[in-house]
Amino acid sequence: MFNRTLLILSFICLISCTKEIIQQKLTVDWTPLNGGTVSPPSNAFDKGTVVSMTATPAGEYVFKQWSGSLTGTSNPAPLTMDADKQVTGIFEKRQYPLSLTVDGNGTVKEEVIALATQAQYPSGTTVRLTAQPADKFEFGGWSGDLTSTANPLELKIDKAISLKALFQKIKFPGYKVDPNAKKLGTDYWENTPVLSDLMIGVFQKNFEVYAPPQGDAYCAWTQAICNGDFNHDGFIDVFNAGSAFGGQKSRLSFLIWNPSTQIFDEKNLINNKTNFIGAPTKVSPIYLNNDDFVDLVIFGHQDESSPKNRIEPITICLSDGKGGYDLTELVLQPPFPNENVVYEHGSVADLNGDKIPDLLIMANPRVFVFWGIPTFPYFTNKDYFVAQREDFPFYCKIKDINKDGINDAIIATNMDNQLFLNDGKGGILTNKISVPYVTNGNVFDYIVDDLNADGLNDFINISATNHLEWSIDAYIQQKDGSFKRDVSWIENISGAKRGNYRNKLIYYDFDGDGKKDITYSDTGMDPYTSPTNEIKSKTVFIRSGNKFVEKDFFQFDSYAKELKEKYFR
């Protein structure tokens, strides 16, 4: 009985003394779902069990950290199951560097993040890169780990990438001819952005051989020069009729723009290869024979240092329509007893209203008008007009000064500006308005325009005293038809003493603001190797409100600036 009772008590004791086993729940997840996996998966574990949590990233992902009941970045990481636990494994895309460098002037815009020279992108990110060239530069392409000219460039980042953006100076396109050049005629060609004197100074070989350092650098007078498209390729070229003083100084020469080499090639386009015609004072580009090539009227003169040399006549230089030119001397005025008639200057435009250009010629002490005709030689001495003068007419311009649709004549004498209003009935040199000079000297060229927009044409002239200390002056037309000098229109920066005279005004919008500006053609030229060469200090008068402000010319023409920096040091 006792043994049985003891056995029962022992069994009861054994049952009551057995330890109860407790389990804890582990919940596992990860983010993003395609970023990888975490093991072990969700399960129940005996309380106190230490579980090794392992994060396994998928391709192009990396393990970043744990969150929830487990923190830190250890992988694998121990987790003690002393309670229910929730663990999240966090993955992220691999980060790759995108290294950008720039060659030239420009920037690269990254559309995913702010602009930086180096950025870290998650793998698989698509970045749009936009190359943004600086002014006067263009995008040349991408190089490095990828070669492309696409802009913008869409780039998928799946590895470390290094790129270089190339920016290069915009290739100078050349000076293009206005599509309306033929319709605009002489006025267009006399006022282009191409400075003939500069191009002649650089690209024309000098006839005379100078001792070093001048060498073959051009050194002569540049009076009979102009622009035109002489090979009809759409680019502006330069013509020099030549010069003489005590003998030949420069040859007749065409400077033809070469778009491949970006220089002016010196050529002789005259069919019989004539390369010298004396000492002309002016050349006018004009269309005479309707073949779309620019023709030329060359106003002859005489070698003033060698009076025994022949007096040069008017010469027309006519295109043959095939890229060549023919020279024809015009014998227009009859000989005067015991007197040689030397031409000083001239202008070409319609004076009698028949839409055919006529010749206005200064030949001290006379003024001639030779009428235009529609066929070769395009000017005739039949019924020509001649005015005997008591003063000395030197320079002239045919322009419509009173806005009546009929061209008038402006003549610069040794005393004053003379404006002759054409009555349209043949009285071309009768109705005279005299505008005295400010100082003794000569006027060399004119601009006619309505400067103050009052409906009346005004004029600007360029003059010099004893061929020095040149100045530009504006004369404003009054309601009574007179003209008054207005010094407020011209703002000089270079002082009153201004070196050699300038014989030609150029009226063109050089700064591109829609308003015409003023510059000039240098006349006496030293070789570009000379430290006193005046082209180095060439200026332009930029229109600003009711004035023209003198500024450095070369800031408005990048090609001219390159020539200056290369040659005129």
Side-chain angles (χ1 to χ4, degrees):
M1 184 67 177
F2 172 79
N3 290 335
R4 186 176 184 181
T5 301
L6 181 60
L7 180 61
I8 294 172
L9 289 174
S10 297
F11 179 74
I12 294 172
C13 180
L14 179 62
I15 294 175
S16 63
C17 292
T18 299
K19 185 176 180 180
E20 182 180 2
I21 298 175
I22 301 175
Q23 289 197 323
Q24 303 293 340
K25 184 178 180 181
L26 172 61
T27 303
V28 176
D29 62 7
W30 53 87
T31 184
L33 292 177
N34 61 346
T37 59
V38 175
S39 62
S42 299
N43 205 341
F45 294 90
D46 292 344
K47 187 172 184 176
T49 301
V50 177
V51 180
S52 179
M53 303 299 301
T54 301
T56 303
E60 296 304 314
Y61 281 85
V62 295
F63 173 67
K64 182 178 182 182
Q65 64 187 41
W66 302 103
S67 69
S69 301
L70 185 61
T71 60
T73 59
S74 298
N75 185 29
L79 176 67
T80 301
M81 296 298 298
D82 52 6
D84 289 344
K85 299 289 181 75
Q86 187 277 327
V87 174
T88 299
I90 299 175
F91 300 95
E92 67 177 0
K93 276 286 187 79
R94 292 182 181 275
Q95 301 288 316
Y96 290 115
L98 171 60
S99 300
L100 295 174
T101 56
V102 170
D103 184 0
N105 287 359
T107 58
V108 177
K109 178 184 177 183
E110 300 175 47
E111 293 191 20
V112 173
I113 62 172
L115 179 68
T117 56
Q118 180 170 316
Q120 292 280 342
Y121 287 104
S123 177
T125 300
T126 299
V127 180
R128 175 172 289 181
L129 302 177
T130 304
Q132 299 174 320
D135 184 38
K136 298 179 182 178
F137 278 76
E138 62 184 355
F139 176 62
W142 307 98
S143 63
D145 291 333
L146 178 67
T147 300
S148 176
T149 58
N151 189 30
L153 174 68
E154 291 190 357
L155 186 66
K156 186 174 182 179
I157 308 296
D158 55 9
K159 62 181 179 179
I161 295 177
S162 177
L163 287 180
K164 177 185 286 187
L166 173 63
F167 297 99
Q168 54 199 14
K169 274 192 172 183
I170 295 175
K171 185 178 180 181
F172 179 63
Y175 299 96
K176 297 292 185 67
V177 176
D178 189 299
N180 295 317
K182 186 173 182 179
K183 180 179 180 180
L184 297 171
T186 301
D187 187 63
Y188 168 75
W189 289 114
E190 290 183 341
N191 297 284
T192 77
V194 181
L195 299 193
S196 308
D197 54 352
L198 172 63
M199 305 312 169
I200 288 170
V202 172
F203 296 108
Q204 183 169 349
K205 299 288 185 180
N206 196 3
F207 173 74
E208 295 184 311
V209 178
Y210 284 78
Q214 284 85 357
D216 60 6
Y218 187 84
C219 176
W221 296 92
T222 56
Q223 291 197 108
I225 63 178
C226 71
N227 296 328
D229 182 4
F230 301 112
N231 59 349
H232 198 41
D233 66 350
F235 292 99
I236 298 175
D237 308 310
V238 177
F239 175 76
N240 183 4
S243 64
F245 190 79
Q248 182 177 344
K249 293 295 183 183
S250 66
R251 294 185 175 99
L252 178 154
S253 183
F254 293 84
L255 300 179
I256 305 299
W257 175 253
N258 186 326
S260 298
T261 60
Q262 297 196 306
I263 64 173
F264 288 89
D265 293 328
E266 184 177 9
K267 297 184 178 182
N268 185 344
L269 301 183
I270 305 302
N271 287 322
N272 65 6
K273 298 309 175 185
T274 297
N275 62 12
F276 182 68
I277 57 174
T281 56
K282 183 183 177 182
V283 57
S284 292
I286 192 167
Y287 295 91
L288 290 175
N289 57 7
N290 296 315
D291 64 1
D292 293 330
F293 285 78
V294 180
D295 304 306
L296 302 162
V297 175
I298 303 171
F299 294 87
H301 190 55
Q302 183 184 36
D303 186 340
E304 292 181 335
S305 181
S306 302
K308 292 183 180 180
N309 289 354
R310 77 185 289 240
I311 295 172
E312 299 296 332
I314 302 295
T315 299
I316 56 173
C317 185
L318 295 176
S319 164
D320 63 7
K322 303 174 183 178
Y325 281 82
D326 297 310
L327 294 173
T328 301
E329 293 184 354
L330 303 183
V331 181
L332 296 172
Q333 81 286 344
F336 289 87
N338 302 318
E339 183 181 342
N340 291 325
V341 177
V342 178
Y343 295 145
E344 294 287 347
H345 203 255
S347 188
V348 186
D350 178 22
L351 272 173
N352 59 3
D354 64 358
K355 309 300 182 182
I356 300 174
D358 308 304
L359 284 177
L360 174 64
I361 299 175
M362 306 296 102
N364 287 322
R366 300 177 183 89
V367 172
F368 291 94
V369 177
F370 297 104
W371 305 112
I373 55 177
T375 57
F376 181 84
Y378 302 103
F379 302 100
T380 179
N381 56 10
K382 181 180 179 181
D383 299 325
Y384 71 92
F385 177 87
V386 60
Q388 184 73 33
R389 303 288 296 251
E390 297 299 326
D391 54 11
F392 293 94
F394 286 102
Y395 290 78
C396 64
K397 197 108 176 188
I398 298 175
K399 284 287 185 181
D400 182 6
I401 192 68
N402 60 352
K403 283 191 174 183
D404 65 353
I406 303 172
N407 280 329
D408 309 303
I410 308 176
I411 295 177
T413 75
N414 61 328
M415 295 184 296
D416 56 6
N417 295 301
Q418 297 178 3
L419 283 60
F420 293 90
L421 303 183
N422 190 345
D423 63 6
K425 301 176 182 179
I428 57 174
L429 294 179
T430 54
N431 186 11
K432 182 177 73 173
I433 300 173
S434 181
V435 184
Y437 299 151
V438 179
T439 58
N440 292 330
N442 287 103
V443 167
F444 305 103
D445 199 11
Y446 296 94
I447 291 169
V448 174
D449 197 3
D450 183 3
L451 299 176
N452 55 3
D454 64 353
L456 304 173
N457 266 343
D458 314 297
F459 74 86
I460 293 172
N461 68 21
I462 188 165
S463 63
T465 303
N466 297 323
H467 293 88
L468 296 171
E469 299 179 10
W470 60 271
S471 65
I472 296 176
D473 296 290
Y475 292 84
I476 305 302
Q477 186 170 175
Q478 310 300 299
K479 292 183 178 180
D480 62 359
S482 64
F483 289 81
K484 182 178 179 181
R485 180 173 177 254
D486 189 340
V487 297
S488 69
W489 276 91
I490 307 297
E491 185 175 301
N492 297 296
I493 62 169
S494 52
K497 295 187 180 297
R498 294 170 168 264
N500 290 321
Y501 77 102
R502 278 60 168 136
N503 74 316
K504 179 182 176 184
L505 287 171
I506 301 166
Y507 198 39
Y508 180 83
D509 179 15
F510 287 97
D511 65 347
D513 66 351
K515 296 174 288 187
K516 289 186 177 180
D517 313 301
I518 302 170
T519 191
Y520 46 80
S521 177
D522 286 83
T523 306
M525 290 177 58
D526 295 329
Y528 57 68
T529 51
S530 170
T532 60
N533 193 298
E534 293 183 341
I535 282 187
K536 293 190 291 187
S537 57
K538 183 178 285 291
T539 59
V540 59
F541 292 79
I542 298 296
R543 179 71 182 262
S544 177
N546 279 355
K547 64 174 57 179
F548 294 88
V549 181
E550 190 176 18
K551 297 180 181 293
D552 170 47
F553 169 80
F554 296 98
Q555 66 180 296
F556 301 104
D557 187 326
S558 59
Y559 182 72
K561 183 178 180 181
E562 288 181 9
L563 295 181
K564 176 192 174 184
E565 292 173 348
K566 182 176 181 179
Y567 295 99
F568 295 87
R569 297 179 179 178

